[in-house]
Amino acid sequence: MREYIIYATLAAFFAALVPIFGKLGLKDVNPTLATAVRAVIMAVFLVGVALLSGSTKVGEIDGRALLLITLSGLAGALSWLFYFIAIKGGKVPAVIAIDKTSVALAIFLSWLILDSKMDLKTALGALLIVLGALLVSL
């Protein structure tokens, strides 16, 4: 099995735990504060992993890459913030389904920006993701 499939499966598994633990933890907590606490925990954990793996040469990242990584971080932070606000006030299955339309949007953006392959099968799969999300969220 290709290594990326194992990592993607692990990512999906741990991502599935986020709304469950989040909804339970948000009962009496402001979602913005909860997102900030979550981000600090993630940052400490990931800095520890980087230190253990020997990946600590931040100064070797060129300016363009650092800008794009920063923009990715800001987009991720906004995603988490709106996600926690949504699961605090909404039904978790609906929020999860709507959030997963990001997969279809990312497929489209990767075609538009990264020149990724977009064939009928890929387009139909992305459309089915969106339709499935609509069905679950209604």
Side-chain angles (χ1 to χ4, degrees):
M1 180 179 289
R2 294 185 178 162
E3 193 173 313
Y4 76 89
I5 293 174
I6 294 168
Y7 287 125
T9 302
L10 288 169
F13 172 75
F14 287 109
L17 295 175
V18 172
I20 306 305
F21 293 144
K23 182 71 171 183
L24 294 170
L26 283 168
K27 187 172 188 247
D28 298 315
V29 178
N30 176 287
T32 303
L33 176 61
T35 304
V37 170
R38 177 179 182 242
V40 169
I41 291 166
M42 289 175 63
V44 169
F45 175 78
L46 292 171
V47 167
V49 170
L51 289 172
L52 288 173
S53 71
S55 301
T56 58
K57 298 176 183 175
V58 177
E60 292 182 4
I61 301 174
D62 71 56
R64 181 176 186 278
L66 188 57
L67 172 64
L68 292 169
I69 292 167
T70 299
L71 291 173
S72 175
L74 291 172
L78 288 167
S79 173
W80 298 338
L81 178 60
F82 293 133
Y83 186 78
F84 265 40
I85 291 169
I87 64 173
K88 167 89 177 184
K91 295 179 180 177
V92 172
V95 172
I96 293 166
I98 293 167
D99 177 66
K100 293 310 169 201
T101 62
S102 65
V103 173
L105 182 56
I107 289 168
F108 173 73
L109 290 174
S110 72
W111 168 72
L112 190 67
I113 297 168
L114 303 176
D115 200 31
S116 295
K117 180 180 170 188
M118 178 66 76
D119 55 14
L120 181 61
K121 178 181 72 169
T122 303
L124 184 58
L127 179 63
L128 289 172
I129 290 169
V130 172
L131 292 174
L134 287 172
L135 287 174
V136 172
S137 65
L138 296 176

